[in-house]
Coordinates of all heavy atoms in Angstrom, one line a residue:
L55 N 4.8 -9.0 2.3 CA 5.9 -9.5 3.1 C 7.3 -8.9 2.5 O 8.1 -8.5 3.2 CB 6.0 -11.0 3.2 CG 4.8 -11.7 3.9 CD1 4.9 -13.2 3.8 CD2 4.6 -11.2 5.3
W56 N 7.4 -9.0 1.2 CA 8.6 -8.5 0.5 C 8.7 -7.0 0.7 O 9.8 -6.5 0.8 CB 8.6 -8.9 -0.9 CG 9.0 -10.3 -1.2 CD1 8.3 -11.3 -1.8 CD2 10.2 -11.0 -0.9 NE1 9.0 -12.5 -1.9 CE2 10.2 -12.3 -1.3 CE3 11.4 -10.5 -0.2 CZ2 11.3 -13.1 -1.1 CZ3 12.5 -11.4 -0.1 CH2 12.4 -12.7 -0.5
L57 N 7.5 -6.3 0.6 CA 7.6 -4.8 0.8 C 8.2 -4.4 2.2 O 9.0 -3.5 2.3 CB 6.2 -4.2 0.6 CG 5.6 -4.2 -0.8 CD1 4.2 -3.7 -0.7 CD2 6.4 -3.2 -1.7
I58 N 7.7 -5.1 3.2 CA 8.2 -4.8 4.5 C 9.6 -5.2 4.6 O 10.5 -4.4 5.2 CB 7.3 -5.5 5.6 CG1 5.8 -5.2 5.4 CG2 7.8 -5.2 7.0 CD1 5.5 -3.8 5.6
H59 N 10.0 -6.4 4.1 CA 11.4 -6.8 4.2 C 12.3 -5.8 3.5 O 13.4 -5.5 3.9 CB 11.5 -8.2 3.6 CG 13.0 -8.7 3.5 ND1 13.8 -9.0 4.5 CD2 13.7 -8.8 2.4 CE1 14.9 -9.3 4.1 NE2 15.0 -9.2 2.8
Q60 N 11.8 -5.3 2.3 CA 12.7 -4.4 1.5 C 13.1 -3.2 2.4 O 14.2 -2.7 2.3 CB 11.9 -3.9 0.3 CG 12.6 -2.9 -0.6 CD 11.8 -2.6 -1.8 OE1 12.3 -2.7 -2.9 NE2 10.5 -2.3 -1.7
E61 N 12.2 -2.7 3.2 CA 12.5 -1.5 4.0 C 13.2 -1.9 5.3 O 14.0 -1.1 5.8 CB 11.1 -0.8 4.3 CG 11.2 0.4 5.3 CD 12.1 1.6 4.9 OE1 12.3 1.7 3.6 OE2 12.5 2.3 5.7
E62 N 12.8 -3.0 5.9 CA 13.2 -3.3 7.3 C 14.2 -4.4 7.4 O 14.7 -4.7 8.5 CB 12.0 -3.5 8.1 CG 11.0 -2.3 8.2 CD 9.8 -2.6 9.0 OE1 9.8 -3.6 9.8 OE2 8.8 -1.8 8.9
Q63 N 14.4 -5.1 6.3 CA 15.3 -6.3 6.4 C 14.9 -7.3 7.5 O 15.7 -7.7 8.3 CB 16.8 -5.9 6.6 CG 17.3 -5.0 5.5 CD 17.3 -5.7 4.1 OE1 17.9 -6.7 3.9 NE2 16.5 -5.1 3.2
N64 N 13.6 -7.7 7.4 CA 13.1 -8.6 8.3 C 13.2 -10.0 7.8 O 12.4 -10.5 6.9 CB 11.6 -8.3 8.6 CG 10.9 -9.1 9.7 OD1 11.0 -10.3 9.7 ND2 10.4 -8.4 10.7
D65 N 14.1 -10.8 8.3 CA 14.3 -12.2 7.8 C 13.2 -13.1 8.0 O 13.0 -14.0 7.2 CB 15.6 -12.8 8.4 CG 16.9 -12.1 7.8 OD1 16.8 -11.6 6.7 OD2 17.9 -12.2 8.5
G66 N 12.4 -12.9 9.1 CA 11.3 -13.8 9.3 C 10.2 -13.6 8.2 O 9.7 -14.6 7.8
L67 N 9.9 -12.4 7.8 CA 9.0 -12.1 6.8 C 9.6 -12.6 5.4 O 8.8 -13.1 4.6 CB 8.6 -10.7 6.7 CG 8.0 -10.0 7.9 CD1 7.5 -8.6 7.7 CD2 6.8 -10.9 8.4
R68 N 10.8 -12.5 5.2 CA 11.4 -13.0 4.0 C 11.3 -14.5 3.9 O 10.9 -15.0 2.8 CB 12.9 -12.6 4.0 CG 13.7 -13.3 2.8 CD 15.2 -13.0 2.9 NE 15.8 -13.5 4.1 CZ 16.1 -14.8 4.3 NH1 15.8 -15.7 3.4 NH2 16.6 -15.2 5.5
Q69 N 11.5 -15.2 4.9 CA 11.4 -16.6 4.9 C 9.9 -17.0 4.6 O 9.6 -18.0 3.9 CB 11.8 -17.2 6.2 CG 13.3 -17.1 6.4 CD 13.8 -17.4 7.8 OE1 13.0 -17.8 8.7 NE2 15.1 -17.2 8.1
L70 N 8.9 -16.3 5.2 CA 7.6 -16.7 4.9 C 7.2 -16.4 3.4 O 6.5 -17.2 2.8 CB 6.6 -15.8 5.8 CG 6.5 -16.1 7.3 CD1 5.6 -15.2 8.0 CD2 6.1 -17.6 7.5
A71 N 7.7 -15.3 2.9 CA 7.5 -15.0 1.5 C 8.1 -16.1 0.6 O 7.5 -16.5 -0.4 CB 8.1 -13.6 1.1
E72 N 9.3 -16.5 0.9 CA 9.9 -17.6 0.2 C 9.2 -18.9 0.2 O 9.0 -19.6 -0.8 CB 11.4 -17.8 0.6 CG 12.3 -16.6 0.3 CD 13.6 -16.8 1.0 OE1 13.8 -17.5 2.0 OE2 14.6 -16.1 0.5
H73 N 8.6 -19.2 1.4 CA 7.7 -20.4 1.5 C 6.5 -20.3 0.7 O 6.1 -21.2 0.1 CB 7.4 -20.6 3.0 CG 6.8 -22.0 3.2 ND1 5.9 -22.2 4.2 CD2 7.0 -23.2 2.6 CE1 5.5 -23.5 4.1 NE2 6.2 -24.1 3.2
C74 N 5.9 -19.1 0.7 CA 4.7 -18.9 -0.2 C 5.1 -19.2 -1.7 O 4.3 -19.8 -2.4 CB 4.2 -17.4 -0.1 SG 3.4 -17.0 1.4
E75 N 6.2 -18.7 -2.1 CA 6.7 -18.9 -3.5 C 6.8 -20.3 -3.8 O 6.4 -20.9 -4.8 CB 8.0 -18.1 -3.7 CG 8.5 -18.2 -5.1 CD 9.8 -17.5 -5.2 OE1 10.2 -16.8 -4.3 OE2 10.5 -17.6 -6.3
E76 N 7.4 -21.1 -2.8 CA 7.6 -22.5 -3.0 C 6.3 -23.3 -3.1 O 6.1 -24.2 -3.8 CB 8.5 -23.1 -1.9 CG 9.9 -22.6 -1.9 CD 10.6 -22.9 -0.6 OE1 10.0 -23.4 0.4 OE2 11.8 -22.5 -0.5
R77 N 5.3 -22.8 -2.3 CA 4.0 -23.4 -2.3 C 3.2 -23.2 -3.6 O 2.3 -23.9 -3.9 CB 3.2 -22.9 -1.1 CG 3.6 -23.3 0.2 CD 2.6 -22.9 1.3 NE 1.3 -23.6 1.0 CZ 0.2 -23.2 1.5 NH1 0.1 -22.1 2.1 NH2 -1.0 -23.9 1.2
L78 N 3.7 -22.2 -4.4 CA 3.1 -22.0 -5.8 C 3.7 -22.9 -6.8 O 3.1 -23.0 -7.9 CB 3.3 -20.5 -6.2 CG 2.5 -19.5 -5.4 CD1 2.9 -18.1 -5.9 CD2 1.0 -19.7 -5.6
D79 N 4.7 -23.7 -6.5 CA 5.4 -24.5 -7.5 C 4.3 -25.5 -8.2 O 4.4 -25.7 -9.4 CB 6.5 -25.3 -7.0 CG 7.8 -24.4 -6.9 OD1 7.8 -23.3 -7.4 OD2 8.8 -24.9 -6.2
P80 N 3.5 -26.2 -7.4 CA 2.5 -27.1 -8.1 C 1.6 -26.3 -9.1 O 1.2 -27.0 -10.1 CB 1.7 -27.7 -6.9 CG 2.6 -27.6 -5.7 CD 3.4 -26.3 -5.9
V81 N 1.3 -25.1 -8.9 CA 0.5 -24.3 -9.8 C 1.4 -24.0 -11.0 O 0.9 -24.1 -12.2 CB 0.0 -23.0 -9.2 CG1 -0.8 -22.2 -10.1 CG2 -0.7 -23.3 -7.9
L82 N 2.6 -23.6 -10.8 CA 3.5 -23.3 -11.9 C 3.7 -24.5 -12.9 O 3.9 -24.2 -14.1 CB 4.9 -22.9 -11.4 CG 5.9 -22.3 -12.3 CD1 5.4 -21.0 -12.9 CD2 7.2 -22.1 -11.6
H83 N 3.6 -25.7 -12.4 CA 3.8 -26.8 -13.2 C 2.5 -27.6 -13.6 O 2.6 -28.8 -14.0 CB 4.8 -27.8 -12.5 CG 6.1 -27.1 -12.3 ND1 7.0 -26.6 -13.3 CD2 6.7 -26.7 -11.1 CE1 8.0 -26.1 -12.8 NE2 7.9 -26.1 -11.5
N84 N 1.4 -27.0 -13.4 CA 0.1 -27.6 -13.8 C -0.7 -26.6 -14.6 O -1.3 -25.6 -14.0 CB -0.7 -28.0 -12.5 CG -1.9 -28.8 -12.9 OD1 -2.4 -28.8 -14.0 ND2 -2.4 -29.5 -11.8
I85 N -0.7 -26.8 -15.9 CA -1.4 -25.8 -16.8 C -2.9 -25.7 -16.5 O -3.5 -24.6 -16.7 CB -1.2 -26.3 -18.3 CG1 -1.5 -25.1 -19.2 CG2 -2.0 -27.5 -18.6 CD1 -0.4 -24.0 -19.2
D86 N -3.5 -26.7 -15.9 CA -4.9 -26.7 -15.6 C -5.2 -25.7 -14.4 O -6.4 -25.4 -14.2 CB -5.4 -28.1 -15.3 CG -5.4 -29.0 -16.5 OD1 -5.6 -28.5 -17.6 OD2 -5.3 -30.2 -16.4
L87 N -4.2 -25.4 -13.6 CA -4.4 -24.5 -12.5 C -4.1 -23.0 -12.8 O -4.2 -22.2 -12.0 CB -3.6 -25.0 -11.3 CG -3.9 -26.3 -10.7 CD1 -3.0 -26.7 -9.6 CD2 -5.4 -26.4 -10.2
Q88 N -3.7 -22.7 -14.0 CA -3.2 -21.4 -14.4 C -4.2 -20.6 -15.1 O -5.2 -21.1 -15.6 CB -1.9 -21.5 -15.2 CG -0.8 -22.2 -14.5 CD 0.4 -22.5 -15.5 OE1 0.4 -22.0 -16.6 NE2 1.3 -23.4 -15.1
S89 N -4.0 -19.3 -15.1 CA -4.9 -18.4 -15.8 C -4.1 -17.2 -16.3 O -2.9 -17.2 -16.2 CB -6.0 -17.9 -14.9 OG -5.5 -17.0 -13.9
H90 N -4.8 -16.2 -16.8 CA -4.1 -14.9 -17.2 C -3.5 -14.2 -16.0 O -2.6 -13.3 -16.3 CB -5.1 -14.0 -17.8 CG -6.3 -13.8 -16.9 ND1 -7.3 -14.7 -16.8 CD2 -6.6 -12.8 -16.1 CE1 -8.2 -14.2 -15.9 NE2 -7.8 -13.0 -15.5
D91 N -3.8 -14.6 -14.8 CA -3.3 -13.8 -13.6 C -1.9 -14.3 -13.2 O -1.5 -14.0 -12.0 CB -4.3 -13.9 -12.5 CG -5.5 -13.0 -12.8 OD1 -5.3 -11.9 -13.3 OD2 -6.7 -13.4 -12.5
I92 N -1.3 -15.1 -14.0 CA 0.1 -15.5 -13.7 C 1.0 -14.3 -13.3 O 1.9 -14.4 -12.4 CB 0.7 -16.3 -14.9 CG1 0.0 -17.6 -15.1 CG2 2.2 -16.4 -14.8 CD1 0.3 -18.3 -16.4

Side-chain angles (χ1 to χ4, degrees):
L55 301 175
W56 282 121
L57 286 174
I58 305 299
H59 172 70
Q60 179 177 228
E61 172 66 21
E62 301 179 11
Q63 299 301 298
N64 186 307
D65 286 339
L67 298 187
R68 174 185 58 79
Q69 290 167 7
L70 289 179
E72 290 171 340
H73 190 214
C74 288
E75 181 182 352
E76 292 166 0
R77 292 189 62 203
L78 290 175
D79 281 350
V81 182
L82 188 63
H83 300 297
N84 185 343
I85 198 72
D86 292 330
L87 295 177
Q88 297 169 14
S89 72
H90 54 280
D91 287 321
I92 288 169

